């Protein structure tokens, strides 16, 4: 395990410093990372073989998506045993090897914690549905309202959030798939079991948790109907619910605070004020994922409708979060994860400027205030895949929504909805990691569980390693830059041109005992060349990094090529 050593004296107080603020996190979706035994399914031994690669990127922490025992209806977010490893991933001994290998590489391991719901296959649910007195209240069971479900809440994956169970003769609540019943956090025994599970993993020596939909744990008293017109019906009654603070504080006090670990909450519909109380000085969590910047390309607030995105809106959101958490709380910065389409295909140009726009978007993530997260393949500039038939898709969310759209009178066949579904499907993030141009991109020697992105012949680790100009090697420079500049971690953020339509430019500033450190970031978010006057005063300026070959140190009048990114040191 690494111990923290401050990189420069002064400026930042010891209280303010934390290893998880200085870390860059690399997210691994193990099912799609590396297959060691030819069954087409990524596994832990495969991942262990690739740790040199992850470490060569400069990552400090690995966040591993769920590898617990699961029927895999939602790829492991439906857990049937919290203390066992799913067969296809390997054994608990493999997992222990993984942990010690990660530590031997001087990195840390953050596990996924999915405790809003379990799988219906979990023993707790099996006993609960049978009415076992010890477990009958482990889930949220209700009588129907007449012939229908107890209320109008919707599942995030579509349809009612309630399913009738013949055995129990009652409805159970599931905010996600029908196979993912919500745990009843009101029941103290549930909380205790979850806290024990958390402790069990912490005792194994892990370094933290990413907490799945953690602001959904507390549901409003009486489970009232939700506004039928809202984006997610019922959400005002189950997001940031009345007992959230109490639950998380108990979790922190009883278990988390006894360990030096990091926690990041995944929080749908999170706003800055809530984030402040979850992650501020007295808050139970270190940081939280919000979703505001992942909705820029929604049309009319609808996930299954695609709209044009607007740089102005990205700036408003970013300014709100950067400034809002400047004094209290901490940001988690990301573009991609296993639920998001590939960012180059959303906010870049995957056809004409794939490399340039991938590097630009990376520059943005790695130069903001907050802990940056990189999702596997993002560092290669991986793109969305063509999904020409529903049969090729694996994501329960995309498949459900595709079927629901086809049941309406608006569409007849898949080709009518293909543009939307294939753009938004979470499968875009889940195609196998592209290691080489050889068969199946070097991911597996068998039949992959999901089709590969056909562009692996040109977008892959092997080719990127050999090319000094690759997206991969640019990401390495970005991580180096962050590692060698405290100002990128602790500096203040200031948006210099909040109203500019195509250029995003900001400074990061940090007072230290050795003077003021200041970096300037200038980003052209579009495919047209543009000249910008940057309103900044300085004595000396040095260009530290660009995604084009540049040797011009003047940051005041800058002509930027398509998707050009520059980072200057303002002395
Ligand atoms: O996702 C929760 C969730 O609802 C969002 O991530 C959602 O996908 C996003 O807002 C879309 O823009 C988590 C897991 O990350 C996901 O893989 C699981 O399916 C889900 O919880 C249920 O456990
Ligand atoms: Ca395998």
């Amino acid at each position: 395990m690494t111990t923290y050593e401050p990189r420069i004296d002064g400026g930042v107080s010891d209280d303010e410093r934390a290893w998880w603020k200085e870390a860059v996190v690399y997210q691994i979706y193990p099912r799609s990372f590396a297959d060691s035994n030819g069954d087409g399914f990524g596994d832990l031994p495969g991942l262990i073989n690739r740790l040199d690669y992850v470490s060569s990127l400069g990552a400090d922490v690995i966040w591993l998506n769920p590898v617990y025992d699961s029927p895999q209806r939602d790829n492991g977010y439906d857990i049937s045993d919290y203390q066992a490893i799913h067969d296809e991933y390997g054994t608990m001994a493999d997992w222990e090897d993984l942990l010690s290998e990660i530590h031997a590489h001087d990195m840390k391991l953050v596990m996924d914690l999915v405790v809003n719901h379990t799988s219906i296959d979990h023993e707790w649910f099996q006993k609960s549905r049978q009415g076992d007195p010890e477990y009958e209240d482990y889930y949220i069971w209700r009588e129907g309202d007449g012939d229908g479900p107890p209320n109008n809440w919707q599942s995030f994956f579509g349809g009612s959030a309630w399913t009738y169970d013949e055995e129990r003769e009652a409805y159970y609540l599931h905010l996600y798939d029908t196979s993912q019943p919500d745990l009843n956090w009101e029941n103290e025994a549930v909380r205790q079991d979850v806290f024990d599970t958390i402790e069990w993993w912490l005792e194994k020596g892990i370094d933290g948790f990413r907490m799945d939909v953690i602001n959904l744990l507390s549901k409003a008293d009486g489970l009232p109907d939700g506004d039928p017109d809202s984006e997610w019906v019922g959400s005002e009654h189950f997001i940031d619910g009345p007992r959230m603070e109490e639950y998380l504080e108990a979790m922190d006090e009883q278990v988390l605070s006894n360990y030096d670990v990091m926690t990041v909450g995944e929080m749908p519909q999170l706003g800055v004020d809530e984030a402040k109380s979850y992650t501020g000085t007295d808050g139970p969590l270190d940081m939280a994922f919000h979703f505001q910047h992942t909705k820029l390309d929604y049309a009319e607030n609808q996930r299954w409708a695609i709209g044009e995105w607007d740089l102005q809106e990205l700036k408003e959101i970013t300014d709100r979060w950067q400034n809002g958490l400047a004094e209290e709380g901490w940001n988690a910065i990301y573009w991609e994860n296993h639920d998001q389409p590939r960012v180059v295909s959303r906010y870049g140009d995957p056809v004409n400027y794939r490399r340039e726009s991938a590097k630009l978007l990376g520059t943005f993530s790695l130069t903001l205030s907050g802990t940056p997260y990189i999702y596997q393949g993002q560092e290669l500039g991986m793109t969305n895949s063509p999904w020409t038939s529903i049969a090729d898709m694996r994501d329960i969310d995309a498949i459900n929504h595709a079927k629901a759209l086809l049941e309406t009178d608006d569409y007849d066949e898949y080709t009518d909805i293909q543009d939307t579904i294939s753009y938004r499907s979470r499968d875009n993030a889940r195609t196998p990691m592209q290691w080489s141009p050889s068969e199946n991109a070097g991911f597996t020697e068998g039949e992959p569980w999901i089709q590969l992105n056909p562009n692996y012949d040109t977008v892959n680790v092997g080719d990127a390693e050999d090319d000094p100009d690759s997206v991969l090697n640019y990401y390495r420079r970005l991580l180096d830059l962050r590692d060698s500049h405290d100002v990128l971690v602790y500096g203040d953020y200031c948006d210099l041109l909040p109203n500019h339509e195509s250029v995003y430019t900001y400074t990061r500033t940090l007072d230290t005992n050795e003077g003021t450190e200041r970096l300037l970031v200038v980003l052209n978010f579009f495919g047209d060349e543009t000249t910008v006057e940057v309103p900044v005063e300085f004595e000396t300026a040095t260009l530290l990094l660009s995604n084009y070959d540049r040797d011009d140190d003047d940051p005041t009048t800058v002509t930027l090529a398509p998707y050009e990114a520059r980072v200057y040191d303002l002395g």
Side-chain angles (χ1 to χ4, degrees):
M1 294 261 292
T2 43
T3 48
Y4 170 74
E5 278 176 61
R7 284 177 300 209
I8 54 167
D9 289 333
V12 185
S13 71
D14 285 351
D15 277 0
E16 204 186 324
R17 288 183 177 275
W19 63 262
W20 44 265
K21 292 181 180 174
E22 299 183 5
V24 174
V25 183
Y26 187 78
Q27 182 191 346
I28 294 181
Y29 196 67
R31 193 184 174 107
S32 301
F33 199 60
D35 173 26
S36 70
N37 63 352
D39 66 358
F41 195 98
D43 48 52
L44 299 180
L47 164 45
I48 293 172
N49 291 335
R50 298 292 185 174
L51 286 178
D52 287 347
Y53 169 77
V54 180
S55 147
S56 79
L57 198 62
D60 306 290
V61 174
I62 290 174
W63 152 26
L64 185 64
N65 284 104
V67 291
Y68 313 101
D69 207 6
S70 159
Q72 302 286 331
R73 291 250 324 178
D74 187 22
N75 295 3
Y77 282 92
D78 47 328
I79 297 172
S80 50
D81 185 344
Y82 286 111
Q83 297 175 359
I85 300 295
H86 177 67
D87 272 354
E88 286 167 295
Y89 286 126
T91 61
M92 189 58 83
D94 292 328
W95 181 87
E96 276 156 8
D97 284 349
L98 174 69
L99 179 65
S100 63
E101 282 298 316
I102 288 175
H103 286 164
H105 280 79
D106 220 7
M107 296 188 288
K108 292 175 185 273
L109 175 62
V110 163
M111 296 284 280
D112 222 304
L113 182 76
V114 189
V115 292
N116 175 68
H117 44 262
T118 69
S119 161
I120 45 172
D121 289 4
H122 197 289
E123 197 190 346
W124 297 342
F125 187 79
Q126 294 302 322
K127 290 185 169 163
S128 193
R129 70 152 41 131
Q130 287 155 12
D132 178 322
E134 210 183 320
Y135 292 93
E136 60 182 353
D137 287 333
Y138 263 54
Y139 296 84
I140 302 171
W141 295 99
R142 291 290 184 278
E143 301 295 311
D145 178 10
D147 285 344
N151 67 24
N152 69 352
W153 295 4
Q154 293 280 305
S155 153
F156 185 81
F157 294 155
S160 172
W162 296 93
T163 292
Y164 185 75
D165 185 61
E166 298 287 347
E167 193 167 349
R168 173 91 177 223
E169 297 182 335
Y171 287 87
Y172 63 87
L173 179 72
H174 54 87
L175 296 178
Y176 288 87
D177 186 55
T178 159
S179 68
Q180 292 166 299
D182 281 49
L183 283 163
N184 176 21
W185 273 71
E186 304 249 318
N187 182 344
E188 209 197 318
V190 168
R191 302 202 292 275
Q192 203 48 57
D193 271 342
V194 170
F195 296 168
D196 290 349
T197 304
I198 293 176
E199 187 165 45
W200 191 84
W201 282 102
L202 290 171
E203 281 300 311
K204 285 188 167 287
I206 66 167
D207 305 293
F209 287 107
R210 173 270 188 186
M211 303 185 178
D212 192 59
V213 296
I214 202 71
N215 61 337
L216 267 50
L217 301 183
S218 167
K219 280 81 177 172
D221 277 348
L223 313 182
D225 273 341
D227 171 2
D229 297 324
S230 92
E231 187 196 340
W232 187 2
V233 179
S235 55
E236 69 273 37
H237 301 303
F238 55 70
I239 287 184
D240 304 321
R243 297 182 67 183
M244 264 323 305
E245 216 182 291
E246 174 197 337
Y247 296 158
L248 290 184
E249 265 160 22
M251 184 193 288
D252 187 36
E253 201 183 294
Q254 284 189 41
V255 279
L256 296 171
S257 61
N258 300 326
Y259 301 83
D260 178 21
V261 292
M262 65 167 262
T263 51
V264 50
E266 187 216 25
M267 302 198 168
Q269 300 189 17
L270 182 71
V272 176
D273 290 340
E274 294 80 30
K276 232 187 254 182
S277 55
Y278 286 122
T279 71
T281 330
D282 300 322
L285 302 181
D286 294 326
M287 56 189 130
F289 294 120
H290 72 80
F291 288 93
Q292 295 181 352
H293 61 302
T294 69
K295 300 181 177 180
L296 296 172
D297 57 358
Y298 287 18
E300 285 148 34
N301 221 7
Q302 296 297 312
R303 195 159 61 105
W304 296 98
I306 314 303
E308 284 282 309
W309 77 278
D310 176 20
L311 180 64
Q312 214 83 21
E313 220 182 313
L314 176 65
K315 290 182 183 183
E316 279 163 30
I317 292 166
T318 311
D319 291 353
R320 183 158 67 235
W321 284 87
Q322 292 285 294
N323 298 327
L325 300 187
E327 301 297 324
E328 213 187 327
W330 189 253
N331 276 291
I333 308 289
Y334 74 101
W335 281 122
E336 295 189 1
N337 61 39
H338 63 292
D339 295 330
Q340 298 294 328
R342 294 291 183 174
V343 66
V344 177
S345 300
R346 303 176 78 178
Y347 306 143
D349 179 342
V351 178
N352 304 302
Y353 297 106
R354 186 189 65 82
R355 283 165 173 252
E356 292 81 358
S357 59
K359 293 174 185 176
L360 169 108
L361 292 159
T363 311
F364 180 70
S365 271
L366 272 298
T367 56
L368 287 175
S369 166
T371 301
Y373 289 72
I374 301 168
Y375 178 69
Q376 68 185 48
Q378 182 185 333
E379 77 281 14
L380 301 176
M382 279 179 66
T383 62
N384 280 359
S385 276
W387 301 100
T388 51
S389 87
I390 298 188
D392 291 336
M393 285 188 298
R394 297 289 176 268
D395 173 21
I396 190 173
D397 177 33
I399 294 169
N400 282 357
H401 280 100
K403 288 186 177 154
L405 286 177
L406 290 178
E407 275 166 20
T408 65
D409 296 335
D410 301 341
Y411 308 99
D412 296 324
E413 51 194 352
Y414 178 66
T415 48
D416 300 336
I417 55 170
Q418 185 179 339
D419 285 352
T420 305
I421 296 291
S422 63
Y423 177 95
R424 191 68 78 201
S425 174
R426 303 189 299 178
D427 285 329
N428 286 305
R430 302 174 180 186
T431 61
M433 181 69 178
Q434 295 167 196
W435 295 105
S436 74
S438 60
E439 211 190 342
N440 291 327
F443 162 71
T444 180
E445 284 175 4
E447 190 60 40
W449 71 274
I450 188 173
Q451 72 181 20
L452 286 124
N453 187 322
N455 69 9
Y456 70 80
D457 56 342
T458 53
V459 181
N460 60 70
V461 173
D463 289 349
E465 289 285 7
D466 296 339
D467 176 0
D469 258 356
S470 64
V471 179
L472 172 63
N473 282 317
Y474 185 83
Y475 260 87
R476 288 188 171 128
R477 292 200 281 278
L478 280 172
L479 271 83
D480 267 354
L481 187 76
R482 194 165 176 102
D483 204 41
S484 53
H485 288 79
D486 242 21
V487 59
L488 285 176
V489 179
Y490 296 109
D492 291 337
Y493 161 93
C494 178
D495 185 349
L496 300 179
L497 290 173
N499 296 317
H500 198 288
E501 278 170 17
S502 58
V503 175
Y504 197 158
T505 176
Y506 48 90
T507 49
R508 302 289 312 280
T509 309
L510 180 69
D511 288 326
T512 75
N513 290 346
E514 290 151 24
T516 301
E517 274 193 74
R518 196 155 53 118
L519 297 192
L520 169 71
V521 181
V522 190
L523 307 168
N524 175 11
F525 263 83
F526 294 93
D528 301 310
E529 183 184 285
T530 181
T531 299
V532 60
E533 306 289 330
V534 180
V536 68
E537 283 173 19
F538 60 93
E539 272 160 33
T540 60
T542 320
L543 185 64
L544 292 177
L545 186 71
S546 169
N547 56 351
Y548 283 78
D549 191 12
R550 301 285 184 219
D551 54 11
D552 161 22
D553 284 338
D554 176 10
T556 45
T557 306
V558 189
T559 298
L560 298 161
Y563 296 99
E564 180 164 357
R566 297 190 189 190
V567 182
Y568 297 90
D569 185 347
L570 297 187

